[in-house]
Amino acid sequence: MRIVDTKEMKQIENNAESEFHFHEDLVVENVGRSGARAIYDTLGEDLLNSEIIFLIGKGNNGADGLAVARHLSTQGIRSRAFLFFPTEDWSEELTKQVDMAKSFGVSINSIEEVDQLIEFCVQLPGNLIFVDALFGTGVRLPLSNFLYEVIDYVNNHASYIISLDIPSGVEGDTGFIQGKAINADQTLAIALPKLGYYIADGAKLVGNVKVLDVGFPRQLLNQGDKFLLSVEDVVNPASRRDKFADKKVFGHSLVIGGSHGLTGALVLASQAALKVGAGLVTAATWEPQYKEFIERLIPDVMTGYVPLDINMWPRLIRDLNKYSSIVIGPGLARSTRARRLVLEVLNNFDGPVVLDADAINVLSLKEDAKVFSMRNAPTVLTPHFGEFSNFCDVPYEELERKPVHYLQKLVDQINCTVILNGPCTYLGFTSGSVCFNYNPNDGMATGGVGDVLAGILGGLLSQDPDLKRKNGSLTNRYESFNQTISMAVLIHSLAGHFAAEKMGVRSMTAMTLIETFPEAFKELDKQIERMIYGE
């Protein structure tokens, strides 16, 4: 599903009106109908014993809220709307909706002080259910002290809050707030999810997102360059593992890393590569750490070491191309020697490379952009926000505010796929598109989880037959590469979901992610089957 910023959404609205004669009043009416249905589906019989309170702003977001209230009233649901702005500030559509709502029996009151709202709410029996229709995505911050007081009261006393399009106080494009914003349990997205849902504070405040179909032409909704990651983005669903294949068919992945005190990172990455189905996995660490490393490793993974003496590297470099994929970086160390090793891999291996952790830390965009652009094989970088900030020399705060902008800029500069990791993970592809994987899970905020993702990537890439066809077009290889990357990210988050269910978020470790790979693959297979054959 497409994700839009405020400019893109406005363009959709304009095109719908100019090309399809789909006017604003039709949009508002459809929001009212589908929004009322969504609220009833969510809260059910709780609505029968409650009076829903609508917080109405001065623009079309407020008009949407009144349309929802009106449609609920036709179902016998008591609705009361509070208007927070004087009539001279109302939009034309809001003025029409006020008159319509009154005629349908919606109770409407004007509010000038927060005490008026409080006085009414304390007299209500049952649950306090609020529908937030104060501001849309074009909110201008900061808000007035009066509105911040209203927001504070609602957040602290509501039983359930539903926001229309975006929680009031959240910037539509950046997800940032100033002071306070509505903390919604559910956000009803009008037509499409908004960029601010998945960035900064917005990701914490939108709650569960439900998208309302409000009648925009489908062709206007399918364009764009930002999308939610879904099963449709993974490797061709028709492809299946061959029951009669031998281990060579499923590739040989090399994982390089593990320095003093950090061999566990290499253990996790190499075991993850093996457990996602790679035919063979070899893990190589620095020579001084080799003994410690093999004592921690399972016997299924083959091993090797990298000599500290750089003069002994030429043979190792020559052997790189016997592997199907290479992962480099987990626990590698931040040294001149580590930097040299990363550059040797990038310059001499003509298969897919995964750069993780220290392999990113020892490089920089300013010095090494040319190395990436000259590769004739796909590359993926997996930085978290701190690593991305350092690599690109972008202030952390700026990256938080505009992650998609800086991600697309980096991908364009180095022609590589980049996975920017966080509670919402952003996948930047060389096509210019960005996929969002929004599955926040605090159990994954633990050491080694990123190493597991690197291993998943390496293991799946080693199995991709299109990447092994060196005589195929680079375009086809990149398409297949990006599908495999998407699959890796989905498996990683699904494993996190099942690990949290099994262990609880406090007791999860990176190893429990690997242990739940079977459940993750079974769930992915179910989703693929539903996509192909329906429910």
Side-chain angles (χ1 to χ4, degrees):
M1 179 175 289
R2 181 183 177 184
I3 297 169
V4 291
D5 58 32
T6 54
K7 183 178 179 181
E8 290 170 326
M9 191 66 228
K10 187 63 178 175
Q11 189 63 54
I12 290 172
E13 294 168 354
N14 291 340
N15 290 347
E17 184 165 355
S18 63
E19 298 174 22
F20 297 89
H21 311 289
F22 192 74
H23 300 289
E24 180 66 30
D25 56 348
L26 292 174
V27 177
V28 173
E29 187 62 21
N30 287 344
V31 170
R33 183 181 295 108
S34 56
R37 187 183 304 116
I39 292 173
Y40 193 87
D41 289 345
T42 298
L43 298 176
E45 293 185 0
D46 287 344
L47 297 175
L48 301 177
N49 303 316
S50 305
E51 184 170 11
I52 303 183
I53 304 167
F54 284 78
L55 310 175
I56 304 299
K58 60 185 177 181
N60 287 351
N61 192 252
D64 292 333
L66 286 173
V68 173
R70 172 165 50 83
H71 278 277
L72 283 172
S73 72
T74 65
Q75 301 176 44
I77 308 300
R78 290 179 296 132
S79 301
R80 183 176 295 270
F82 288 110
L83 305 174
F84 290 84
F85 294 89
T87 55
E88 58 266 25
D89 292 341
W90 295 355
S91 70
E92 181 181 349
E93 191 61 40
L94 176 63
T95 302
K96 289 193 295 185
Q97 291 297 326
V98 168
D99 292 337
M100 291 177 68
K102 285 180 179 178
S103 66
F104 274 74
V106 177
S107 301
I108 296 181
N109 302 88
S110 294
I111 292 285
E112 296 179 354
E113 296 179 356
V114 70
D115 288 343
Q116 293 174 274
L117 177 64
I118 295 172
E119 185 178 348
F120 174 80
C121 290
V122 296
Q123 298 178 43
L124 278 180
N127 298 324
L128 279 180
I129 300 172
F130 289 92
V131 176
D132 158 37
L134 282 170
F135 298 98
T137 55
V139 65
R140 294 182 180 179
L141 302 178
L143 304 178
S144 67
N145 289 334
F146 163 50
L147 290 172
Y148 279 131
E149 289 175 349
V150 170
I151 289 171
D152 194 42
Y153 176 78
V154 170
N155 283 342
N156 289 325
H157 294 85
S159 302
Y160 201 85
I161 304 174
I162 298 171
S163 286
L164 281 181
D165 216 22
I166 196 165
S168 290
V170 176
E171 289 184 343
D173 288 347
T174 68
F176 269 68
I177 67 174
Q178 290 188 38
K180 296 180 175 70
I182 290 290
N183 189 355
D185 296 289
Q186 183 183 61
T187 294
L188 301 180
I190 297 175
L192 291 169
K194 308 307 184 293
L195 184 57
Y197 295 0
Y198 308 106
I199 298 174
D201 303 299
K204 305 170 187 175
L205 297 172
V206 293
N208 295 319
V209 174
K210 183 177 181 62
V211 179
L212 303 181
D213 182 355
V214 297
F216 284 116
R218 186 58 51 191
Q219 53 264 55
L220 296 181
L221 303 182
N222 292 335
Q223 302 166 10
D225 60 359
K226 298 178 288 294
F227 302 89
L228 284 173
L229 184 66
S230 71
V231 68
E232 296 176 359
D233 301 303
V234 306
V235 170
N236 184 352
S239 66
R240 291 288 186 269
R241 285 169 63 93
D242 183 353
K243 293 180 180 180
F244 303 99
D246 64 26
K247 60 194 174 188
K248 294 179 181 178
V249 172
F250 300 127
H252 189 171
S253 185
L254 172 64
V255 187
I256 306 171
S259 56
H260 179 66
L262 297 174
T263 56
L266 183 57
V267 170
L268 290 167
S270 56
Q271 291 186 191
L274 185 70
K275 294 285 187 174
V276 296
L280 295 168
V281 175
T282 294
T285 188
W286 298 109
E287 185 176 4
Q289 277 69 56
Y290 182 72
K291 184 175 183 299
E292 173 196 345
F293 172 62
I294 61 174
E295 290 174 351
R296 307 179 67 176
L297 192 63
I298 60 174
D300 313 63
V301 176
M302 297 184 291
T303 61
Y305 64 81
V306 180
L308 293 184
D309 185 355
I310 294 176
N311 294 320
M312 298 178 66
W313 286 9
R315 180 179 176 183
L316 297 176
I317 302 304
R318 286 196 301 271
D319 287 344
L320 288 179
N321 282 304
K322 72 179 184 181
Y323 299 102
S324 309
S325 68
I326 294 179
V327 178
I328 184 166
L332 184 67
R334 305 181 190 185
S335 64
T336 303
R337 185 181 287 106
R339 172 180 166 78
R340 172 74 177 271
L341 183 61
V342 173
L343 292 174
E344 292 285 359
V345 169
L346 290 173
N347 288 327
N348 292 281
F349 179 59
D350 62 6
V353 172
V354 180
L355 293 187
D356 181 59
D358 284 341
I360 301 170
N361 290 324
V362 297
L363 303 179
S364 73
L365 176 61
K366 183 178 180 180
E367 294 183 26
D368 304 306
K370 189 174 181 180
V371 174
F372 293 102
S373 60
M374 291 184 66
R375 291 202 79 229
N376 64 352
T379 310
V380 57
L381 287 73
T382 64
H384 56 58
F385 273 64
E387 291 165 344
F388 189 105
S389 173
N390 291 333
F391 180 79
C392 297
D393 195 23
V394 173
Y396 192 95
E397 296 76 16
E398 272 296 299
L399 179 60
E400 279 191 309
R401 183 176 289 274
K402 297 180 179 180
V404 175
H405 165 75
Y406 286 108
L407 177 60
Q408 289 179 312
K409 184 177 179 180
L410 174 60
V411 170
D412 185 58
Q413 289 173 296
I414 63 175
N415 195 35
C416 297
T417 300
V418 180
I419 302 173
L420 178 54
N421 286 298
C424 179
T425 293
Y426 312 95
L427 288 74
F429 298 116
T430 53
S431 63
S433 66
V434 176
C435 280
F436 294 57
N437 186 47
Y438 182 66
N439 289 290
N441 180 348
D442 55 310
M444 297 180 78
T446 187
V449 167
D451 304 312
V452 171
L453 174 59
I456 295 172
L457 287 161
L460 291 178
L461 288 169
S462 74
Q463 299 169 65
D464 190 333
D466 290 324
L467 297 178
K468 300 171 189 174
R469 299 187 180 112
K470 302 297 192 299
N471 58 342
S473 74
L474 192 58
T475 300
N476 290 340
R477 291 175 70 189
Y478 267 105
E479 182 179 356
S480 181
F481 178 78
N482 290 338
Q483 289 176 323
T484 305
I485 296 301
S486 299
M487 183 177 182
V489 172
L490 282 175
I491 286 295
H492 188 245
S493 60
L494 283 171
H497 166 76
F498 288 111
E501 279 192 343
K502 181 182 293 187
M503 301 295 299
V505 292
R506 293 182 184 274
S507 300
M508 279 176 61
T509 65
M511 187 58 74
T512 57
L513 260 68
I514 298 175
E515 293 168 357
T516 54
F517 282 177
E519 291 96 326
F521 278 105
K522 286 178 184 177
E523 176 60 27
L524 184 62
D525 287 341
K526 286 180 184 178
Q527 292 183 22
I528 290 174
E529 288 180 5
R530 282 197 295 267
M531 181 184 71
I532 299 173
Y533 304 112
E535 292 295 338

